[in-house]
Amino acid sequence: MTSPQWTNWAGNQRAVAREVAEAGSAERVAEIVGRVRESGGTLKAIGSGHSFTGAARTDGVRLAPASGRYAVDREAKRVTVPAGMPLHELNRVLAAVDLALPNLGDIDRQTIAGAISTGTHGTGAKLGGLATFVAGLTLVTGTGEVLHASPTENPDVFEAARLGVGAVGVLTELELSCVDSFPLRADERPMPLDTVLSTVDELAAANDHFEFYWFPYTELTSVKRNNRLGPDEAPHPLPKWRQVLDDELLSNTAFSVLCKLVRRAPALAPRVNGLSARALSARSYADRSDRVFCTPRRVRFVEMEYSIPREALTEAFAGLRRAVETCGVRIAFPVEVRVAAADDVWLSTAHGRDAAYLAVHQYVGMAYEPYFRAVEAVMRGLDGRPHWGKLHWRDADSLRASYPRFDDFVAVRDRLDPDRVFANDYTRRVFGD
Ligand SMILES: Cc1cc2nc3c(=O)[nH]c(=O)nc-3n(C[C@H](O)[C@H](O)[C@H](O)COP(=O)(O)OP(=O)(O)OC[C@H]3O[C@@H](n4cnc5c(N)ncnc54)[C@H](O)[C@@H]3O)c2cc1C
């Protein structure tokens, strides 16, 4: 963390910082921000580097996440945590007091500040992304002011900062609304693509958390359905050997070998994808929610993910399939499809509409741009919104048209960071200079 050299998880973003500092208290951050502003420099708070975009890149001052004290209000089901706390630590803290976040994404390595700042989400037709769980926040602005914000205190700051791509300030503390801890029953099984597509609305409506993976060039999918256990049902976690076999050997070690094979011989992609799909056999188990939501991801990839209005899913998927066939590159990774409920977060990819998400991936070191760009063209035609932390080629002008509150966000940014202390190439591209 103290080296000026920085690279993100996927290895596709690199930067060398002029100075590295640790975040810490709001007062300490305010002092650092004030110094940087006076010198005309820039500063970026970073999380754990899991964004594929250059959202966290800086050649100015890099502010690394710091640990700190947290507080739990069990009765109100609220926690106040340092913004740089990693999700896996947050999950442990919550489980110890029988609380949990209502939903999570695929992994737990991100910091909570990093996750909300780019609109990280899981899946669930009735649930919003992680930013919708934020009840209050403490922010150091570009003028060095320390602000507390919530739906009733500085509400416009709250809206901009709970999903702000690091562009309006440094989050130092977050207050999160939680729920009583809950075990989930996971059901994962192969299903033919046409069955999934013809029943996708029912599957999304009938399950607390529904998603599917499609293996390009095949008619095969793997469907995941996670549902809360009934009061009389007892958790039955996977035996350790099965967990190691599925999550480490098949999903990581063996998958990595197959990806390397496709990287060397791209023409093998269709056969290898068929093999990957068949290797994932059906399984059912029940465990603590965060252990079901999050699994280890050791095979490195790059990713683009688009949100589209839920009713456009079938059309979007058909366009995506055409892009896979015609883009000219071979794809080693499955496509992930998820859903989320409409929310009111200004820059949320689900702002004002129920959303479906289509995520495309490519193994590191393989060509991805023609594939991602072809998929982006399809999603743009359906009023798609790209994930702020995943690759895309949109700029401020085109994003403005997709977000009704875009100019409100820009106005808060102008007020809180008039000298653009928090700017980098990415924020200049997506929000303007
Ligand atoms: C393997 C893998 C799996 C993933 N799974 C999912 C998934 O299931 N769902 C999903 O939606 N996304 C997913 N993502 C994307 C990931 O959740 C986001 O990119 C997230 O932003 C990463 O968090 P981070 O802590 O690494 O933040 P970073 O990438 O380090 O930073 C992201 C942004 O947050 C800002 N930021 C960080 N800390 C602060 C702070 N204290 N104050 C203000 N701004 C701050 C940074 O400046 C930057 O703009 C995945 C990524 C990977 C690599």
Side-chain angles (χ1 to χ4, degrees):
M1 278 291 185
T2 51
S3 161
Q5 317 274 349
W6 173 88
T7 175
N8 66 340
W9 178 87
N12 65 321
Q13 304 287 348
R14 288 169 196 281
V16 182
R18 189 169 57 75
E19 184 191 326
V20 182
E22 212 185 53
S25 69
E27 291 66 34
R28 178 180 148 75
V29 172
E31 186 239 290
I32 299 171
V33 169
R35 177 165 57 76
V36 172
R37 183 190 183 208
E38 260 171 40
S39 69
T42 56
L43 172 149
K44 212 77 201 139
I46 62 156
S48 59
H50 277 60
S51 293
F52 300 91
T53 56
R57 273 179 65 171
T58 184
D59 54 8
V61 176
R62 187 170 76 232
L63 206 54
S67 53
R69 281 207 293 262
Y70 61 86
V72 179
D73 182 341
R74 183 65 189 77
E75 206 165 311
K77 298 180 192 170
R78 290 260 168 102
V79 289
T80 305
V81 296
M85 183 182 264
L87 287 176
H88 59 88
E89 202 178 315
L90 173 64
N91 292 336
R92 242 194 338 266
V93 164
L94 295 179
V97 290
D98 284 330
L99 290 174
L101 289 184
N103 203 2
L104 286 165
D106 294 336
I107 58 158
D108 59 9
R109 299 293 109 181
Q110 312 94 316
T111 60
I112 180 68
I116 62 162
S117 294
T118 60
T120 295
H121 61 90
T123 190
K126 297 190 190 80
L127 289 160
L130 272 61
T132 65
F133 310 147
V134 178
L137 53 89
T138 305
L139 182 81
V140 178
T141 70
T143 56
E145 201 182 347
V146 178
L147 289 179
H148 188 262
S150 73
T152 51
E153 184 184 1
N154 298 313
D156 59 345
V157 174
F158 178 71
E159 287 306 339
R162 65 174 164 155
L163 199 173
V165 200
V168 293
V170 177
L171 295 159
T172 56
E173 229 174 36
L174 290 164
E175 201 181 324
L176 302 166
S177 290
C178 305
V179 292
D180 290 323
S181 61
F182 57 101
L184 277 177
R185 183 181 349 96
D187 182 284
E188 301 167 9
R189 58 190 61 248
M191 213 184 260
L193 178 63
D194 57 356
T195 310
V196 179
L197 290 178
S198 61
T199 54
V200 74
D201 290 337
E202 290 89 321
L203 285 164
N207 294 285
D208 295 337
H209 311 272
F210 155 76
E211 69 183 300
F212 75 91
Y213 290 88
W214 171 60
F215 295 83
Y217 320 108
T218 76
E219 299 298 322
L220 304 170
T221 73
S222 172
V223 172
K224 286 192 176 191
R225 285 171 283 193
N226 297 331
N227 287 290
R228 285 175 177 237
L229 277 193
D232 305 329
E233 294 173 279
H236 50 99
L238 280 178
K240 194 75 195 154
W241 68 265
R242 182 75 203 265
Q243 243 176 58
V244 172
L245 177 72
D246 289 352
D247 294 341
E248 289 297 343
L249 290 176
L250 291 177
S251 299
N252 283 300
T253 313
F255 186 50
S256 154
V257 171
L258 292 178
C259 286
K260 285 193 179 109
L261 190 66
V262 176
R263 190 165 62 188
R264 279 182 144 205
L268 292 179
R271 273 163 61 198
V272 166
N273 283 354
L275 198 66
S276 299
R278 285 186 190 90
L280 296 174
S281 54
R283 62 178 189 169
S284 179
Y285 62 97
D287 207 341
R288 206 173 84 189
S289 58
D290 57 296
R291 293 184 180 142
V292 172
F293 287 132
C294 306
T295 50
R297 295 288 162 98
R298 302 193 208 292
V299 182
R300 306 279 160 143
F301 55 85
V302 288
E303 180 175 350
M304 179 181 79
E305 183 176 46
Y306 257 86
S307 143
I308 40 133
R310 180 93 55 80
E311 57 278 11
L313 176 55
T314 318
E315 192 182 345
F317 195 86
L320 186 148
R321 279 199 90 170
R322 279 194 301 278
V324 165
E325 295 301 334
T326 56
C327 69
V329 295
R330 288 301 197 173
I331 298 135
F333 251 79
V335 171
E336 186 178 14
V337 180
R338 296 184 275 188
V339 292
D343 65 46
D344 57 359
V345 184
W346 284 357
L347 292 188
S348 165
T349 47
H351 181 92
R353 66 192 199 195
D354 288 337
Y357 291 93
L358 290 97
V360 291
H361 312 75
Q362 181 65 299
Y363 186 48
V364 285
M366 288 184 71
Y368 64 85
E369 199 170 324
Y371 173 36
F372 288 9
R373 279 187 184 271
V375 173
E376 178 165 84
V378 173
M379 301 305 150
R380 280 191 74 159
L382 296 167
D383 194 19
R385 297 168 177 163
H387 190 300
W388 297 99
K390 302 185 183 180
L391 294 172
H392 67 93
W393 286 268
R394 304 279 291 273
D395 62 13
D397 285 341
S398 92
L399 290 165
R400 175 174 281 110
S402 290
Y403 286 94
R405 305 304 296 265
F406 192 87
D407 284 325
D408 294 313
F409 176 84
V410 168
V412 173
R413 179 190 185 215
D414 286 344
R415 196 174 84 229
L416 299 189
D417 187 22
D419 302 316
R420 300 290 188 258
V421 175
F422 307 121
N424 66 6
D425 288 346
Y426 185 67
T427 60
R428 276 190 283 271
R429 171 158 73 89
V430 296
F431 301 132
D433 208 352

